[in-house]
Amino acid sequence: MTSEAEMEVEEGYISPPPTLPSTRCSVQAGSMRRGSDVLSTSRGTVRERGRNRSWLLSSIITVNVLILGIALVSGSVFNNVKINTINLQIFLIVLLILTTAWMLYYTIYTSREDHAVLYKDSHAGPVWLRGGLVLFGLCSLIMDVFKIANYVGYLHCDSAVKIVFPVLQAVFILVQTYFLWLHAKDCVQLQRNITRCGLMLTLSTNLMLWMAAVTEESLHQTVVPPEDGNSTHSYDIRASGGYSSCNCSHSACAVLEKAYYYLYPFNIEYSLFASAMAYVMWKNVGRLVDEHNHHSLHFRLKDVLVGPAVGLVMLVAGLGTFVIYEVDVEKGDLGKRDTVLMIHYVMNTVAVTLMSVSTVAGCAIYRLDQRDHVSGKNPTRSLDVGLLIGASIGQFTICYFTIVAVVATGAEGHLNALNLAVSLLTVIQLCLQNIFIIEGLHREPFHEDMHQASVFTNPYVLQAQAHRDIHNLPGTFMETKMSPALTVHSMHVAPSGSPLPQRHRLTWKRRALKEICAFLLLCNILLWIMPAFGARPQFDNTIGAEFYEFTMWAAVVNIGLPFGIFYRMHSVASLFEVFLTS
């Protein structure tokens, strides 16, 4: 009997005695609960399979679009292939039309359906990120206007596609900026397959625009060493892509072309910002978000002075050296070129050294910080960390290639010694800054009510004080005893003097972290501006091209540098978030 009873217990089939009807009811209720659990589990399994299928389908769309686009971008670079810029722009026009149509469909129809968007991801698309998207989008629109005005001058002898493309790109930027500003936080629950595919198409289109812009800008900035070695100059290495046989019909073409090339960095960053926001929306499709862990963050510079001041000094000094560098390099004088290269290396050495020291101090403060690490899934945070590490690989690549070239050639002369020092210090700075930012992103935000709550929510101490007061004051215990909840409430609202005026004062750890974040943010802006707007010491210093041969060195620089430029801008965004949560 004992073994049979144990088997019945294990199988869940124990029959209740006939004299206990309540037990029968409980068994029936338990069976119903088990049935509902099985039903919910099966529904969850079906939901999971549907999500995996839509993820797979949307990922296949992305892979095919990107690989085809990479082939077209690569083929349009050289003149000995029967693919030119017109073919690439036709492909991009098709993507722009399809993506714009889907975003309009989502905005007008899908998002307005009942129960389509039940949840909002408070971490996705913060206002400062959307503000940066609007700023970069505005600069991209100006670039498109300059392109249209420039290509109008060549319309009599060149394809009209070159005018149609910037027109459609401007429309796409307007629609996408409006779409992301309104819907970046959406967690869509209806039409999930279509929405996932549409968001992946949006991501693919932005990445294709980024690749096309990076290729065009890199070719424009590539400095090819001449055979005689007496000077350097930059030119577009495509023989068939220029206007050698086509003259502009108005006099502003040269000015417009130079102007829109200076706006390329903003267009490149716009495409990357939009790609990141589209990816987060894709991850949030069908997601059920818990809003209880959201903290309201506000930007304030109160009690933060040293970091912004030193950062502004570095930014102004760096911009001054950058202007001198650009002006003297354009002149083609070898003596001035070496001098401005030395100034550029010294400026970068000072910047990355101070940044490394600051990040070491910040990491030490994190060891003393009592804030908890964040828990739970957050697509935005995971993407930030992935982009931070992935984008830094480009800068690592250029630095290590430079280190090998300089060491192998003996590091002769002050110029090569400074080049080696900058490369080594940049590697150290990148490692330390990644650690600092990732640690900051994974800390719970500090909110000012935290200390206040810890003061007024210890009811046991207050209750013990009430017990001690009983022996000294007349009255019964029941008259004197107070409930913990009432005690906490009364003490929270009664005092108006001591603790409340001090709640906005920053602790030394918070203030130090904010100072460090502000300084690093401004220095990263400086290190973004210089390469984004034309500083190419990798080509002006010929040691890399001589050691690796120009073709290989140009490939290393033109592939690694765009990622390095994006790393600096992404670091700015991440440091701003760490500043807010500190």
Side-chain angles (χ1 to χ4, degrees):
M1 287 293 295
T2 305
S3 61
E4 293 179 359
E6 290 176 353
M7 290 176 63
E8 290 178 348
V9 168
E10 290 177 0
E11 296 175 357
Y13 292 122
I14 294 182
S15 301
T19 57
L20 296 174
S22 61
T23 308
R24 182 183 296 110
C25 295
S26 64
V27 171
Q28 292 175 353
S31 300
M32 294 176 63
R33 285 195 297 270
R34 285 195 295 270
S36 62
D37 290 342
V38 171
L39 182 60
S40 62
T41 302
S42 63
R43 288 177 178 175
T45 303
V46 172
R47 183 187 180 94
E48 184 73 20
R49 288 176 180 173
R51 184 179 66 179
N52 292 337
R53 282 196 295 267
S54 61
W55 278 5
L56 178 62
L57 177 61
S58 58
S59 300
I60 289 174
I61 293 174
T62 305
V63 170
N64 281 274
V65 171
L66 289 180
I67 293 178
L68 176 59
I70 291 172
L72 290 173
V73 170
S74 302
S76 64
V77 171
F78 303 103
N79 66 336
N80 56 349
V81 182
K82 294 182 179 180
I83 298 176
N84 53 29
T85 306
I86 307 301
N87 302 125
L88 173 62
Q89 289 182 345
I90 292 174
F91 174 70
L92 294 177
I93 285 172
V94 174
L95 291 180
L96 291 175
I97 293 174
L98 292 175
T99 307
T100 303
W102 175 81
M103 288 190 291
L104 291 174
Y105 170 80
Y106 179 90
T107 303
I108 296 173
Y109 180 71
T110 304
S111 63
R112 296 185 181 181
E113 288 249 346
D114 293 336
H115 310 295
V117 183
L118 298 177
Y119 302 94
K120 296 277 189 178
D121 185 0
S122 57
H123 299 282
V127 65
W128 54 267
L129 183 61
R130 288 178 289 159
L133 186 77
V134 171
L135 176 61
F136 292 140
L138 180 62
C139 295
S140 299
L141 288 175
I142 298 173
M143 183 196 73
D144 286 328
V145 171
F146 287 167
K147 277 189 173 184
I148 295 169
N150 179 55
Y151 291 140
V152 165
Y154 297 97
L155 189 59
H156 64 282
C157 56
D158 208 344
S159 174
V161 174
K162 291 190 175 181
I163 297 180
V164 175
F165 173 68
V167 170
L168 289 177
Q169 187 179 31
V171 175
F172 169 78
I173 290 171
L174 288 172
V175 174
Q176 180 173 252
T177 305
Y178 177 80
F179 167 77
L180 292 176
W181 183 272
L182 291 183
H183 303 292
K185 298 177 179 291
D186 288 1
C187 298
V188 185
Q189 306 299 326
L190 297 180
Q191 300 182 5
R192 287 173 292 193
N193 293 338
I194 297 176
T195 303
R196 284 194 178 101
C197 293
L199 287 170
M200 280 291 102
L201 179 63
T202 305
L203 173 64
S204 304
T205 302
N206 281 284
L207 288 179
M208 282 307 310
L209 292 174
W210 172 74
M211 279 191 283
V214 165
T215 303
E216 185 73 21
E217 203 266 345
S218 297
L219 292 173
H220 176 73
Q221 297 289 348
T222 299
V223 178
V224 181
E227 298 296 332
D228 56 5
N230 294 327
S231 63
T232 60
H233 61 286
S234 62
Y235 62 90
D236 193 337
I237 63 176
R238 295 170 300 179
S240 64
Y243 302 110
S244 57
S245 61
C246 184
N247 297 321
C248 182
S249 60
H250 58 80
S251 59
C253 285
V255 176
L256 290 171
E257 185 176 358
K258 192 170 184 179
Y260 73 68
Y261 271 117
Y262 276 109
L263 293 172
Y264 261 113
F266 299 105
N267 179 248
I268 290 170
E269 296 301 330
Y270 175 85
S271 298
L272 292 174
F273 271 45
S275 300
M277 297 172 74
Y279 174 80
V280 173
M281 285 186 67
W282 179 74
K283 292 289 289 185
N284 281 332
V285 173
R287 184 175 173 225
L288 306 179
V289 180
D290 182 14
E291 291 288 342
H292 296 292
N293 295 326
H294 175 60
H295 302 281
S296 179
L297 303 176
H298 303 283
F299 174 72
R300 286 193 297 267
L301 281 175
K302 185 178 180 181
D303 297 331
V304 180
L305 179 62
V306 178
V310 179
L312 284 174
V313 171
M314 292 294 298
L315 182 60
V316 173
L319 290 178
T321 59
F322 171 66
V323 171
I324 296 173
Y325 173 87
E326 283 292 293
V327 172
D328 287 348
V329 166
E330 284 291 327
K331 294 179 179 178
D333 189 344
L334 287 178
K336 288 186 177 181
R337 186 196 67 180
D338 293 343
T339 302
V340 294
L341 271 175
M342 189 172 297
I343 295 174
H344 180 80
Y345 287 145
V346 169
M347 185 68 222
N348 279 267
T349 302
V350 173
V352 296
T353 301
L354 293 178
M355 292 169 72
S356 300
V357 173
S358 300
T359 48
V360 169
C363 293
I365 294 173
Y366 279 138
R367 299 287 294 178
L368 304 175
D369 198 358
Q370 299 299 320
R371 287 180 296 162
D372 295 330
H373 286 76
V374 294
S375 58
K377 295 182 179 179
N378 187 336
T380 305
R381 188 189 312 115
S382 301
L383 178 64
D384 286 339
V385 174
L387 289 177
L388 196 72
I389 296 175
S392 63
I393 294 176
Q395 193 68 48
F396 278 126
T397 302
I398 295 176
C399 288
Y400 279 118
F401 270 74
T402 303
I403 291 170
V404 170
V406 174
V407 172
T409 55
E412 297 177 355
H414 299 293
L415 201 62
N416 289 329
L418 285 172
N419 192 7
L420 177 62
V422 170
S423 301
L424 289 171
L425 290 172
T426 301
V427 169
I428 296 172
Q429 190 271 326
L430 291 172
C431 296
L432 294 174
Q433 181 169 275
N434 285 346
I435 294 172
F436 176 78
I437 293 177
I438 293 172
E439 184 70 19
L441 292 174
H442 283 82
R443 292 298 179 107
E444 286 286 353
F446 184 95
H447 50 95
E448 295 181 353
D449 293 335
M450 184 170 60
H451 293 299
Q452 182 180 347
S454 64
V455 173
F456 297 111
T457 55
N458 194 344
Y460 303 104
V461 175
L462 300 175
Q463 202 169 10
Q465 180 65 34
H467 279 288
R468 287 195 296 269
D469 292 341
I470 294 173
H471 302 286
N472 300 326
L473 296 176
T476 62
F477 175 78
M478 295 298 295
E479 293 174 351
T480 312
K481 184 177 179 181
M482 299 167 59
S483 68
L486 293 176
T487 304
V488 174
H489 177 72
S490 62
M491 289 196 66
H492 179 77
V493 298
S496 59
S498 53
L500 292 181
Q502 303 295 327
R503 61 177 181 167
H504 294 300
R505 294 289 299 275
L506 296 176
T507 63
W508 70 269
K509 287 183 290 187
R510 288 189 64 203
R511 180 174 179 177
L513 286 175
K514 286 184 176 291
E515 301 277 12
I516 292 170
C517 288
F519 173 73
L520 292 176
L521 188 150
L522 292 171
C523 287
N524 276 280
I525 290 177
L526 170 64
L527 296 179
W528 172 77
I529 289 175
M530 290 192 288
F533 289 91
R536 294 293 185 273
Q538 298 87 0
F539 293 125
D540 297 323
N541 188 342
T542 59
I543 187 171
E546 293 172 355
F547 184 80
Y548 295 107
E549 299 297 332
F550 175 76
T551 303
M552 181 178 179
W553 181 240
V556 170
V557 174
N558 288 331
I559 293 175
L561 196 59
F563 290 98
I565 293 172
F566 171 67
Y567 171 81
R568 293 302 176 183
M569 181 52 65
H570 185 63
S571 297
V572 170
S574 300
L575 285 166
F576 187 77
E577 185 173 350
V578 175
F579 178 90
L580 293 179
T581 57
S582 297

